[in-house]
Amino acid sequence: MRIGELAARTGVSVRALRYYEEQRLLTSERSPSGQRVYPDSAVDRVRMIQHLYAAGLPSRSIEPLLPCVMTGEVTPELLKRLRAERQRIEGRIDDLVQTRDKLDTIISVASAYEGRTCPR
Amino acid sequence: MRIGELAARTGVSVRALRYYEEQRLLTSERSPSGQRVYPDSAVDRVRMIQHLYAAGLPSRSIEPLLPCVMTGEVTPELLKRLRAERQRIEGRIDDLVQTRDKLDTIISVASAYEGRTCPR
DNA sequence: CTAAAACCTGACGTTGACGTCAGAGGCAAG
DNA sequence: CTTGCCTCTGACGTCAACGTCAGGTTTTAG
């Protein structure tokens, strides 16, 4: 498939896909005329990239992890990094849960005041 | 307390504190000579700001929420925003949990290969 | 064959949360 | 009084993940 279709199927922009390639997160074959050609598996790969971005990892962290994440192949070095990133994510989750709970308390207390407006 | 001490006690830079003020997330009294003077409560406020930043909220979202989050006072309008942001955070948590679990699977599978090096 | 749509490579613009530097004033210690 | 650290206000720099535009080629639909 070409870049436009990959963009449509993953929901990310064409520009973003070219950017991923620039960051070596994504590779492509080229047609004789120079257009990018992707295998179907690229869809999954792009989705994984988005997941890792969403988890707050920068390109440079994603790049070394990605081949192993996609293929299941791994070196001890990569395993260390995977575990480290897992811990980072865990930490972010804890932080978010704390913040969510704090908002929940505020919301529930505040809801008691509904109807009669702000006690100011 | 002055800005340097607040920075030390919260672990954020002096520059960041001035930036928070610029974004109207933090206010300060001024000494006769123009130096910022903060009450002790500023420490908690700065910590809350950091929590909300960590939750992915931009300054513009934090600003209207902060007074109510600190005082517990609330208008129906703010309550709506609080609930919306709570939902956003919840979504981010779900996403992170998914990614963490995916990493866990990879790690556990990969761990089976430990000792004998990368199967490449 | 031709026009529209999709693709290409640069290259500059954008946004948010600060970092950093310049130049100048304030303040506690010796 | 001066030395040295803290603080002040601009103002420009940075970094990541793209957006956007220019100028040109390729593919596809009619």
Side-chain angles (χ1 to χ4, degrees):
Chain A
M1 104 193 62
R2 292 187 306 173
I3 199 169
E5 192 184 340
L6 182 57
R9 287 173 62 178
T10 57
V12 319
S13 70
V14 168
R15 176 66 174 94
L17 293 177
R18 290 200 269 249
Y19 175 75
Y20 295 165
E21 184 167 332
E22 199 178 310
Q23 303 296 307
R24 283 165 309 175
L25 304 181
L26 188 62
T27 57
S28 60
E29 302 289 304
R30 294 304 181 106
S31 79
S33 64
Q35 298 200 349
R36 291 173 179 82
V37 177
Y38 301 95
D40 283 7
S41 62
V43 175
D44 282 349
R45 191 180 178 98
V46 170
R47 294 213 170 110
M48 178 60 78
I49 294 172
Q50 291 273 299
H51 268 294
L52 294 175
Y53 272 136
L57 308 195
S59 297
R60 297 174 211 291
S61 300
I62 297 180
E63 193 218 325
L65 300 183
L66 210 49
C68 116
V69 171
M70 295 306 290
T71 66
E73 297 176 358
V74 99
T75 68
E77 172 57 22
L78 281 181
L79 199 50
K80 257 185 59 185
R81 289 192 184 178
L82 282 173
R83 290 195 170 119
E85 293 302 346
R86 191 221 116 95
Q87 278 315 103
R88 274 182 24 82
I89 293 176
E90 186 83 1
R92 287 178 61 87
I93 292 176
D94 291 349
D95 207 59
L96 286 179
V97 166
Q98 250 193 61
T99 306
R100 184 200 60 187
D101 291 349
K102 208 168 282 184
L103 281 186
D104 278 347
T105 335
I106 295 165
I107 288 172
S108 74
V109 169
S111 296
Y113 286 96
E114 277 216 289
R116 45 169 173 140
T117 329
C118 157
R120 184 136 189 207
Chain B
M1 101 192 64
R2 291 187 305 173
I3 199 170
E5 192 183 339
L6 182 56
R9 287 173 63 177
T10 58
V12 317
S13 70
V14 167
R15 176 65 175 92
L17 293 177
R18 291 200 269 249
Y19 175 74
Y20 296 165
E21 185 167 329
E22 198 179 311
Q23 304 297 307
R24 283 164 310 174
L25 305 180
L26 188 62
T27 57
S28 59
E29 302 290 304
R30 294 304 181 108
S31 77
S33 64
Q35 300 199 346
R36 291 172 179 83
V37 176
Y38 301 95
D40 282 7
S41 63
V43 174
D44 282 350
R45 191 179 178 99
V46 170
R47 294 214 170 109
M48 177 60 79
I49 294 172
Q50 291 274 298
H51 268 292
L52 295 175
Y53 272 135
L57 309 195
S59 297
R60 296 174 212 293
S61 300
I62 298 180
E63 192 216 327
L65 300 183
L66 210 50
C68 116
V69 170
M70 295 306 290
T71 66
E73 296 176 359
V74 100
T75 69
E77 172 57 22
L78 281 181
L79 200 49
K80 257 186 59 185
R81 290 192 182 177
L82 282 173
R83 289 194 171 119
E85 293 302 345
R86 193 221 115 95
Q87 278 315 102
R88 276 182 24 82
I89 292 175
E90 186 82 1
R92 287 177 61 87
I93 291 176
D94 291 349
D95 207 58
L96 284 180
V97 167
Q98 251 192 60
T99 306
R100 183 200 59 187
D101 290 349
K102 207 167 283 185
L103 280 186
D104 278 347
T105 335
I106 294 165
I107 288 172
S108 72
V109 169
S111 296
Y113 285 98
E114 277 217 288
R116 42 171 176 138
T117 330
C118 158
R120 189 143 184 197

